[in-house]
Amino acid sequence: MNRVVYRTDYYVVEENRQKEIVVMDQIPESAAVVAVHQGCLLLVCQHREAVDEITWELPGGTVKPGEERKLAVKRELEEEAGVLSKDLSYMGSAYPMASLANRNVHFYFTDDLKVSGSQESNQDEDEDVRAVWVPLRDVYRKIKEGGRMDAMVGHGLLLSKLYGFLAID
């Protein structure tokens, strides 16, 4: 049995027998979207305390209990970037840090996008997220060079390639 070190409504931090820390997400389902328009990928930039840097990430977030994953992706797209999407294609899921946490991320693809307005008016009060459109060639270069890119960006792009949504040149 693991020893509970810290508990909130969202997370339980435990220490296992090997003295390793394990984070149990109380709401472990997340969804992220690879959103592409005119050769550019929609990314969100935000400061992440754990690495004390601004990282580039796919739009997405927690799937609330009882919420459909597709609706969660649409909600996050609008909140974080002021973008609407009708057509989303499911590509699969992955554990981004299985050695540390139980979070499971579901990936979607869309190139059916419409700008809805200002992202700032849609964000939660505690969010400081900036949406940017980045040419895919620059994203690939940043990943190859080890830029400050969240690992889920690479996984989402790989799935997009495997499903035939994107070519990697």
Side-chain angles (χ1 to χ4, degrees):
M1 179 85 181
N2 292 346
R3 180 177 74 88
V4 174
V5 177
Y6 181 76
R7 179 187 303 270
T8 71
D9 291 342
Y10 300 101
Y11 301 99
V12 176
V13 179
E14 299 176 350
E15 181 182 60
N16 67 17
R17 289 182 207 136
Q18 292 80 29
K19 302 292 183 192
E20 298 169 325
I21 292 296
V22 179
V23 179
M24 301 303 291
D25 199 323
Q26 302 289 70
I27 309 171
E29 298 296 309
S30 287
V33 61
V34 175
V36 176
H37 180 68
Q38 296 180 344
C40 294
L41 176 65
L42 178 61
L43 294 173
V44 292
C45 300
Q46 57 187 322
H47 182 266
R48 292 300 190 178
E49 199 66 35
V51 294
D52 194 25
E53 290 188 29
I54 294 174
T55 60
W56 293 26
E57 305 172 13
L58 294 175
T62 301
V63 177
K64 297 174 183 175
E67 183 178 32
E68 290 182 36
R69 293 188 304 247
K70 232 180 210 188
L71 293 178
V73 167
K74 289 180 179 187
R75 174 180 47 78
E76 291 288 344
L77 259 177
E78 188 169 11
E79 283 177 9
E80 294 182 345
V83 172
L84 300 174
S85 178
K86 286 185 202 172
D87 185 30
L88 292 165
S89 299
Y90 183 72
M91 299 188 294
S93 67
Y95 295 108
M97 293 181 52
S99 64
L100 179 65
N102 65 328
R103 172 129 336 220
N104 185 24
V105 179
H106 299 273
F107 292 88
Y108 290 84
F109 178 87
T110 188
D111 57 6
D112 175 24
L113 304 164
K114 178 182 176 186
V115 175
S116 69
S118 171
Q119 79 183 72
E120 289 82 16
S121 62
N122 297 323
Q123 287 183 11
D124 294 336
E125 286 182 27
D126 61 344
E127 283 189 306
D128 184 18
V129 177
R130 183 174 54 94
V132 293
W133 289 97
V134 182
L136 279 165
R137 68 181 173 279
D138 292 347
V139 174
Y140 298 143
R141 182 181 44 75
K142 259 185 134 16
I143 290 171
K144 184 177 179 182
E145 293 172 358
R148 298 302 181 222
M149 193 80 59
D150 184 82
M152 291 189 300
V153 175
H155 192 84
L157 289 172
L158 176 60
L159 285 172
S160 298
K161 164 67 174 152
L162 294 173
Y163 277 89
F165 297 124
L166 291 177
I168 298 178
D169 354 346

